[in-house]
């Protein structure tokens, strides 16, 4: 297939920069370079069962949309509150055609014994068929959300949205069944994202609960009809015949037991139910199960970062364990293999990034370490005879990957603050906060950074400050887990220097910020990567 996509956006700010908005359009065009061929052969050793067949499919699709989205800062009314809304209208067009042969137990031949060619446009044999359909669909979509930054570490949000999945074409069936319509979903979600520290461990937790209404669900089923030859044919088609709901909860976390060990667990619970399902499509009716949807799944990834010199790069060893509950693979009661049993899996990975300070990453990976065998799906081949075709998981595999980065990503720069001459006033007391900057991807103190830390320690001692908060802020790139480690290493470098300057460790509190905060200016006209910093805040003293 050949696929072309294009998107245009117009972005801006309004209402004293409280409103951020974006509007634009999207286009995707997908067409085959040639036909897709699907073929099968008869069971030669089982008389009367199966038939040789082949089909040539040619499907062209186009999707286009316009959209607008904005978020408005409501902090003037409630601190940390933000509202967002968006709207999208989509048009989808599908043109599909098929031509092929559906024979008996042997290759179809004409009166002279020559095999019939069904690849042309005009067919004279009843075993040859062709079908074509053009269809188009359109639908609006929207989303609304409200989020509240309760504290710098805790974000609470609620969101709702509506979207659709386009319809399609049924080929080689009567005209009244030639097209099926789109599906629609409306969902609501309540969630919380939080950073926390407990017993010397730093963590990040994301949790949510959700409910989804699912309408006009596309259902695959069989239909029998009288074909052009006057005989009965059976084919599969899709209809908008069902409605249902899905609800559940998800939890994921990243926990740093110490700077070198991190644990990332995840858990998912999903309850699915059809509110409507025609009994002519499934004898179970509304009790028909959703396919390939485990009720419970969970897993955990453990990562250990080797204690090697920073100039060597970083080596991380990780293992991932995953477990998936049983899943239905068929809606048919008489299916030979209707349920896929629960299974688990273990993967391993070794990553060496920034090898000897160079932009080179090397990785080793191994999937399905235990070489377990389990079923991933089934296809009911000959229901009347109780035959099913099973699909199994991949065996144990391992390999290497090598990546070279031609340039380091640039971080956004803060706009210089407008210069305002300070008013004449009495000499100000020693500052209560200090910013210590770092080089990209580094946690060692530069000479300038060491001078700032020494000054902070001196002023803290002079004003008898009894508590210092040292907060690390990281680069704008990299995973959250990596950034949390980097921010903690930076904060620990500053804390270690403060201790050398005479500040007791009991008076130093370390906070890691894995996710970058807002950019802050340091001086008039200065353009620096403001997120590569540690902030020292003096507190607890009589002058604070």
């Amino acid at each position: 297939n050949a696929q072309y996509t294009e998107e245009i956006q117009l972005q801006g700010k309004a209402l004293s920069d409280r409103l951020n908005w974006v509007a634009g359009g999207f286009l995707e065009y997908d067409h085959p370079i040639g036909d897709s061929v699907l073929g099968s052969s008869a069971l030669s050793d089982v008389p009367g069962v199966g038939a040789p067949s082949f089909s040539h499919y040619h499907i062209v699709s186009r999707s286009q949309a316009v959209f607008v989205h904005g978020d408005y800062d409501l902090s003037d009314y409630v601190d940390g509150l933000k509202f967002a809304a968006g709207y999208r209208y989509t048009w989808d067009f599908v043109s599909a055609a098929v031509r092929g042969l559906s024979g008996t137990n042997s290759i179809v031949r004409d009166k002279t014994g020559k095999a019939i060619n069904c690849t042309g446009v005009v067919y004279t044999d009843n075993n040859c068929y062709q079908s074509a359909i053009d269809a188009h669909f359109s639908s609006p979509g929207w989303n609304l959300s409200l989020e509240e930054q309760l504290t710098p570490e805790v974000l609470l949000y609620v969101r709702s949205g509506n979207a659709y999945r386009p319809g399609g074409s049924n080929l080689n069936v009567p005209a009244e069944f030639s097209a099926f319509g789109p599906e629609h979903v409306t969902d609501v979600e309540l969630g919380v994202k939080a950073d926390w520290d407990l017993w010397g461990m730093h963590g990040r937790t994301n949790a949510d609960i959700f409910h989804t209404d699912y309408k006009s669900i596309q259902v695959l089923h069989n239909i029998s009809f009288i074909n052009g030859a006057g005989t009965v044919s059976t084919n599969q088609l899709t209809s908008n015949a069902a409605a249902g709901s899905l609800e559940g909860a998800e939890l994921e976390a990243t926990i740093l037991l110490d700077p070198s060990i991190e644990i990332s667990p995840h858990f998912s619970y999903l309850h699915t139910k059809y509110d409507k399902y025609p009994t002519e499509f499934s004898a179970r009716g509304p009790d028909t199960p959703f396919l390939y949807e485990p009720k419970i799944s969970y897993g955990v990834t453990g990562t250990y970062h080797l204690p090697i010199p920073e100039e060597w790069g970083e080596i991380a060893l990780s293992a991932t364990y995953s477990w998936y509950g049983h899943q239905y693979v068929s809606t048919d009661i008489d299916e030979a293999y209707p349920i896929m049993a629960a299974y688990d899996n273990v993967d391993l990975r070794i990553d060496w990034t920034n090898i000897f300070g160079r932009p080179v990453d090397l990785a080793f990976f191994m999937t399905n370490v235990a070489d377990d065998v389990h079923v991933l799906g089934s296809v009911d081949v000959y229901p009347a005879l109780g035959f099913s075709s099973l699909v199994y998981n991949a065996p144990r595999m391992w390999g290497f990957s090598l990546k070279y980065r031609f340039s380091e990503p640039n971080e956004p720069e803060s706009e210089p603050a407008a210069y305002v001459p300070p008013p004449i006033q009495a000499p100000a007391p020693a500052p209560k906060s200090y910013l210590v900057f770092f080089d990209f991807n580094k946690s060692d103190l530069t000479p300038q950074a060491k001078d700032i830390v020494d000054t902070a320690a001196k002023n803290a001692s002079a004003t008898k400050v009894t508590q210092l908060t040292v907060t690390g802020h990281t680069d704008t790139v990299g995973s959250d887990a990596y950034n949390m480690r980097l921010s903690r290493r930076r904060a620990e470098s500053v804390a270690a220097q403060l201790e050398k300057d005479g500040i007791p460790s009991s008076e130093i509190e370390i906070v890691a910020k894995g996710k970058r905060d807002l950019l802050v200016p340091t001086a008039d006209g200065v353009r620096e990567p403001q997120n590569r910093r540690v902030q020292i805040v003096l507190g607890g003293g009589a002058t604070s």
Side-chain angles (χ1 to χ4, degrees), residues 17 69 117 119 248 264 267 319 329 331 344 348 362 377 387 405 453:
D17 288 347
H69 182 86
N117 180 6
T119 60
S264 300
F267 172 85
V329 296
T331 60
D344 55 7
L348 294 178
L362 177 65
F387 286 102
R405 300 185 302 278
V453 177

Side-chain angles (χ1 to χ4, degrees), residues 95-412:
S95 177
V98 61
R99 63 180 186 274
L101 175 147
S102 180
T104 56
N105 253 0
S106 61
I107 299 297
V108 178
R109 302 179 182 276
D110 61 18
K111 295 180 181 179
T112 65
K114 182 180 178 181
I116 294 175
N117 180 6
C118 291
T119 60
V121 177
V122 179
Y123 310 128
T124 58
D125 189 273
N126 292 331
N127 292 290
C128 297
Y129 61 86
Q130 64 177 338
S131 179
I133 185 69
D134 292 333
H136 61 87
F137 316 93
S138 63
S139 178
W142 52 265
N143 66 79
L144 301 170
S145 68
L146 194 65
E147 64 181 47
E148 166 68 11
Q149 193 76 48
L150 298 177
T151 70
E153 292 78 26
V154 179
L155 173 71
L156 182 67
Y157 69 91
V158 58
R159 62 160 299 278
S160 181
N162 174 276
Y164 99 118
R165 177 186 180 186
S169 304
N170 291 310
L171 298 172
N172 199 34
V173 296
E176 60 267 30
F177 303 111
S178 60
F180 56 92
E183 298 177 331
H184 294 268
V185 294
T186 302
D187 70 330
V188 61
E189 177 184 356
L190 175 66
V192 60
K193 301 176 183 289
D195 288 348
W196 46 268
D197 289 277
L198 180 66
W199 300 323
M201 298 183 297
H202 184 75
R204 169 164 294 161
T205 305
N206 300 328
D208 69 88
I209 56 176
F210 59 88
H211 175 85
T212 301
D213 287 321
Y214 198 180
K215 304 297 183 183
S216 301
I217 300 176
Q218 298 164 0
V219 176
L220 185 66
H221 60 98
N222 292 326
I223 182 175
S224 297
F225 57 94
I226 304 299
N227 60 27
T231 60
V232 177
S233 293
T234 300
N235 205 348
Q236 283 190 327
L237 61 79
T238 301
S239 300
N240 301 96
S245 61
L246 304 89
E247 54 193 13
E250 297 173 323
L251 173 67
E252 61 180 13
T254 298
I255 303 170
L256 297 182
L257 302 181
D258 63 43
S260 62
I261 301 177
E262 66 184 65
I263 304 295
S264 300
H266 64 86
F267 172 85
S268 175
Y269 170 80
L270 180 63
H271 175 72
T272 60
K273 179 175 175 57
Y274 280 109
D275 303 317
K276 180 181 72 173
Y277 202 106
T279 54
E280 59 266 32
F281 296 165
S282 173
R284 290 189 176 97
D287 293 329
T288 298
F290 276 77
L291 303 184
Y292 299 100
E293 296 287 359
K295 178 170 287 189
I296 295 177
S297 61
Y298 57 83
V300 61
T301 298
T303 304
Y304 175 65
H305 302 270
L306 298 183
I308 62 175
E310 191 169 332
E311 58 269 19
W312 290 11
E314 182 175 1
I315 298 180
L317 315 179
S318 62
T320 299
Y321 172 81
S322 303
W323 185 89
Y324 302 91
H326 71 272
Q327 306 169 51
Y328 282 89
V329 296
S330 175
T331 60
D332 295 332
I333 294 179
D334 298 328
E335 167 69 62
Y337 195 92
I339 298 178
M340 177 171 60
Y343 67 92
D344 55 7
N345 183 70
V346 176
D347 296 332
L348 294 178
R349 187 176 180 90
I350 304 175
D351 288 282
W352 187 4
T353 57
N354 299 318
I355 299 176
F356 296 113
R358 309 298 297 176
V360 179
D361 301 337
L362 177 65
F364 167 81
F365 60 89
M366 179 181 291
T367 58
N368 191 10
V369 174
D371 202 19
D372 290 328
V373 178
H374 54 264
V375 175
L376 290 181
S378 75
V379 178
D380 201 11
V381 182
Y382 297 108
L385 300 181
F387 286 102
S388 283
S389 174
L390 301 184
V391 179
Y392 290 87
N393 66 309
R396 180 194 297 124
M397 296 187 294
W398 58 269
F400 295 88
S401 66
L402 181 66
K403 179 171 71 175
Y404 179 83
R405 300 185 302 278
F406 291 94
S407 64
E408 293 290 356
N410 295 322
E411 293 189 336

